[in-house]
Amino acid sequence: MNVNNHPLKATQLSSQADAYDILFEPVEIGPVTARNRFYQVPHACGMGHLKPRAHAAMRAVKAQGGWAVVSTEETEIHPSSDLSPFAEQRIWDDHDIPALRLMVDAVHAQGALAAIELVHNGYHATNHYSRIPPLAPGEMSLNTNYPRQARAMDKQDIIGLRRWHMQAAKRAKKAGFDIVYVYAGHGMTLAQQFLIPRFNQRIDEYGGSLQNRSRLTRELLEETKDAIGDKCAIAFRFAVDELMGEDGMQAVEEGHEIVSLLAELPDLWDVNVSGWENDSLTTRFGLEEGYQVSYTKHVKSITSKPVVSVGCFSSPDKMAALVKGKVTDFIGAARPSIADPYLPEKIRDDRVDEIRECIGCNICVSSETLGIPIRCTQNPTMGEEWRRKWHPEIIRPRVSDRSTLVVGAGPAGLECALQLGRRGYHVMVAEASDEIGGRALHESRLHGLSAWRRVCDNRLYELNQKANVDIFRLSQLTANDIVDTDASAVFFATGAKWRRDGVGRSNRREIPGLENIIVHTPDDIMNGVNPGNLPVVIFDDEQGYMGGVIAEQFGATFSDVTIITSASVVSPFTIQTLEQERVQSSLIKKGVKIRTGEIVARAQDDAVETRCLFSGRRQLVACKILVLVTQRTSNNDLLSTIKEADFSSLRQHITHIEAIGDALAPGLIADAVFSGHLAAQNFEGDTREIEQALFRREIPAIPAD
Ligand code: ADP
Ligand code: SF4
């Protein structure tokens, strides 16, 4: 019996769809109306004013995917709020309007409202480009490591700031935006800095009482409304709690009081928690769907205006319950809209199982902090909408009836197979083990990384629906096996393994003496090897997340754990994902000994010898077990064999051979997924186009003389 045709199943489906109807009701926001309750809140994307075409195309895909409101990232209102070298939006003067209008028009064309988040960043902006001294409620050092200070704003500065904000709002209206934000959140904005006593110690009418500290925000809200409120809705983005207890703003104390004071001024409340590392908490450190609701749920009972809540929502049941329970009016999302721009459409069309769920890894955030266009582990098309013309749901059809073989079912192999399958090719996927998922699955077994298995779960689900895709488990292919298939195109997604000899960025040759000691690699730990309660040393020369994850895992169980890193902090890459402070804090709390700026130079019985990278000083550290997190080696023996001359006659029918993912060059899971996607997109493409135009670039137009 086909379960989809079963009458009970049909009833379930329609009643399920009815249950979600509430999510597709239109909602009025001041003078404008959102077509449903899905609201893409402002989020950074590393494109900003530098890549306006890419930005417009990315936001347009979200509007196409069903989001009723699509917002910009933060938009600097004045050169004294200059976040260079990071690429935010800018609305410094009328010259910025055309670039912003690109996004507005693209979003409107898909039936959504366009929102703009105006910001003055106060002491958070270093003003590297404009060189204007930063502004703040009082004289203070910046929260970057640049040794410059912000100067205290006087009354004239405050009047100036209000004027800039109003002028920016008028420009936003001119650009066509439907919703214009006043922004007090993420520890990044002047309005918020005036609200919080540790930043605002003024003794005039802008400091002291809460009434006084909220004066600037009130003025900004009122003046923005007066200036453009006839046509545009005014949204207020507000962090109700800083998650610092008594040391910061708390929802139950001043957070809710501020909502009461300003309750009816904006047309919409967009509420969250602060700073950014709390709002964009990762799954590694406790992110669960709806994790912010306990802080924000009272806002709706205080104001009659619509409320947007965020919390990495992807389950329609939870969303509908929140709306029915009058906790929120809109389902706000940044990361879920990045991982799956079509989330609303999939809910509306009863395709919930196809939703690509965010894994909470913050690789998207790292793009912003690195100053590069956005990318996403789950959605390889994110950021590629304009420059590579990729789309999360649409891919060009096959150009022949060739049969394809993907060897290895890790993130790269699965993504490649999925996209080849979507294109309509016959795809065989051979996986050596009985489990599908490769490193995404293996790494998901490590401390805090369980959500990472969603990378394989989602793809496997979709592959299983496809009649043109066959998956073979327990199929460790040899070169002979490969030539025996009828595949004429073979993609090698065979992954990589961690090195056991210590070669890495600091030791370009094998670490001497390793034969004297028990050595493990991350692969061993993922395979369940348990070092026991012996002195364990983790040598992290890779500087990604892996060394810190293993140290945390061991620190939770064992008493004598040391991490030695060649970096100056543990897991420096996690600064980009906003996790580093939590990583180091967790290790310290677990009693893990941390040695920075050192490498393991040699091993001997019961000890390793370290070398300080700065002074050259050598020391012995007790060690029975050494875990080497240094470098990986691609598994490309099979590929080499196939390419050997002996095979040339046997493999004449194989005209396309390509390594992808970690088998090509080890990197992040996001890199492997991207690599698999790229190979499937390019397969049987126009080689000239692929070689000459890897992607389109946004080059400033310079008029001819
Ligand atoms: P990536 O991140 O590039 O996707 P992974 O290491 O996650 O790489 O996945 C590689 C997958 O390839 C693993 O699941 C591994 O079992 C599989 N594999 C490696 N060699 C072979 C082979 N010869 N035949 C089939 N599968 C293989
Ligand atoms: Fe989610 Fe990671 Fe994608 Fe960001 S990069 S949207 S956290 S899956």
Side-chain angles (χ1 to χ4, degrees), residues 11 107 287 400 446 514 523 594 620:
T11 317
V107 165
L287 165 63
S400 74
L446 294 174
L514 290 178
D523 292 320
I594 298 171
L620 286 181

Side-chain angles (χ1 to χ4, degrees), residues 223-266:
E223 288 162 2
T224 310
K225 194 151 197 167
D226 284 351
I228 58 164
D230 56 332
K231 282 262 168 56
C232 303
I234 313 305
F236 182 40
R237 195 177 202 192
F238 175 56
V240 294
D241 201 303
E242 291 184 278
L243 309 196
M244 296 169 69
E246 288 176 356
D247 296 334
M249 165 106 42
Q250 296 189 81
V252 285
E253 303 278 335
E254 293 199 326
H256 291 154
E257 230 178 304
I258 291 170
V259 183
S260 303
L261 279 174
L262 307 172
E264 302 303 313
L265 281 185

Side-chain angles (χ1 to χ4, degrees), residues 335 338-339 357-365 375-378:
R335 290 176 293 179
I338 296 167
E357 215 180 330
C358 168
I359 69 166
C361 61
N362 277 4
I363 292 304
C364 50
V365 171
R375 55 214 55 195
C376 168
T377 303
Q378 277 286 56

Side-chain angles (χ1 to χ4, degrees), residues 195-210:
L195 287 170
I196 296 173
R198 73 177 184 284
F199 301 117
N200 180 354
Q201 288 149 32
R202 299 175 70 98
I203 50 170
D204 61 3
E205 68 268 34
Y206 287 94
S209 68
L210 188 58

Side-chain angles (χ1 to χ4, degrees), residues 187-415:
M188 294 177 184
T189 82
L190 208 41
Q192 191 190 23
Q193 290 152 25
F194 268 80
L195 287 170
I196 296 173
R198 73 177 184 284
F199 301 117
N200 180 354
Q201 288 149 32
R202 299 175 70 98
I203 50 170
D204 61 3
E205 68 268 34
Y206 287 94
S209 68
L210 188 58
Q211 196 91 25
N212 281 357
R213 282 183 277 123
S214 58
R215 186 179 307 278
L216 176 63
T217 299
R218 173 182 287 278
E219 288 170 344
L220 294 178
L221 285 168
E222 286 173 346
E223 288 162 2
T224 310
K225 194 151 197 167
D226 284 351
I228 58 164
D230 56 332
K231 282 262 168 56
C232 303
I234 313 305
F236 182 40
R237 195 177 202 192
F238 175 56
V240 294
D241 201 303
E242 291 184 278
L243 309 196
M244 296 169 69
E246 288 176 356
D247 296 334
M249 165 106 42
Q250 296 189 81
V252 285
E253 303 278 335
E254 293 199 326
H256 291 154
E257 230 178 304
I258 291 170
V259 183
S260 303
L261 279 174
L262 307 172
E264 302 303 313
L265 281 185
D267 296 310
L268 173 128
W269 283 82
D270 176 353
V271 287
N272 60 10
V273 294
S274 182
W276 192 12
E277 72 288 358
N278 292 325
D279 189 25
S280 289
L281 184 69
T282 57
T283 41
R284 180 174 170 191
F285 289 100
L287 165 63
E288 282 176 7
E289 194 172 2
Y291 69 107
Q292 298 200 23
V293 168
S294 59
Y295 297 98
T296 56
K297 66 182 177 196
H298 291 298
V299 174
K300 195 161 158 49
S301 64
I302 305 173
T303 174
S304 70
K305 305 293 177 162
V307 173
V308 181
S309 305
V310 288
C312 223
F313 297 115
S314 60
S315 137
D317 289 324
K318 189 156 260 173
M319 297 174 190
L322 288 175
V323 176
K324 281 183 194 144
K326 304 215 176 307
V327 173
T328 193
D329 297 285
F330 284 100
I331 304 303
R335 290 176 293 179
S337 76
I338 296 167
D340 197 338
Y342 269 59
L343 185 142
E345 285 278 285
K346 288 178 183 175
I347 295 174
R348 201 196 56 192
D349 298 346
D350 281 332
R351 294 190 290 132
V352 173
D353 290 338
E354 289 176 32
I355 293 173
R356 258 192 320 270
E357 215 180 330
C358 168
I359 69 166
C361 61
N362 277 4
I363 292 304
C364 50
V365 171
S366 78
S367 329
E368 165 66 18
T369 54
L370 290 166
I372 50 177
I374 190 165
R375 55 214 55 195
C376 168
T377 303
Q378 277 286 56
N379 174 13
T381 67
M382 179 48 54
E384 306 293 345
E385 300 83 355
W386 180 81
R387 68 176 191 173
R388 283 194 167 89
K389 301 185 197 159
W390 288 0
H391 190 281
E393 302 297 315
I394 304 164
I395 188 163
R396 71 197 168 92
R398 69 190 163 112
V399 293
S400 74
D401 55 5
R402 288 172 71 173
S403 189
T404 62
L405 170 66
V406 177
V407 188
L414 287 173
E415 177 65 18

Side-chain angles (χ1 to χ4, degrees), residues 118 143 146 175 180 190 193 214 229 254 306 382 413 437 443 458 534 541 550 555 564 587 608 612 665:
L118 300 183
N143 66 349
Y146 192 83
V180 177
L190 208 41
Q193 290 152 25
S214 58
E254 293 199 326
M382 179 48 54
E443 291 184 25
N458 170 268
L534 298 165
D541 200 25
I550 293 174
I564 297 173
L587 295 185
V608 290
C612 171

Side-chain angles (χ1 to χ4, degrees), residues 521-600:
T521 70
D523 292 320
D524 300 332
I525 312 304
M526 287 185 262
N527 284 330
V529 167
N530 185 334
N533 201 14
L534 298 165
V536 185
V537 169
I538 298 140
F539 174 39
D540 180 15
D541 200 25
E542 192 225 14
Q543 305 188 2
Y545 54 86
M546 185 57 79
V549 166
I550 293 174
E552 243 198 305
Q553 178 161 318
F554 288 175
T557 325
F558 307 125
S559 57
D560 193 349
V561 181
T562 303
I563 181 163
I564 297 173
T565 171
S566 47
S568 50
V569 292
V570 177
S571 303
F573 173 72
T574 61
I575 295 171
Q576 317 303 339
T577 54
L578 310 180
E579 295 171 295
Q580 200 282 330
E581 284 182 22
R582 287 191 165 102
V583 172
Q584 196 135 350
S585 145
S586 170
L587 295 185
I588 292 168
K589 285 180 189 152
K590 288 185 168 80
V592 173
K593 288 168 266 184
I594 298 171
R595 301 179 69 112
T596 59
E598 288 185 341
I599 62 166
V600 171

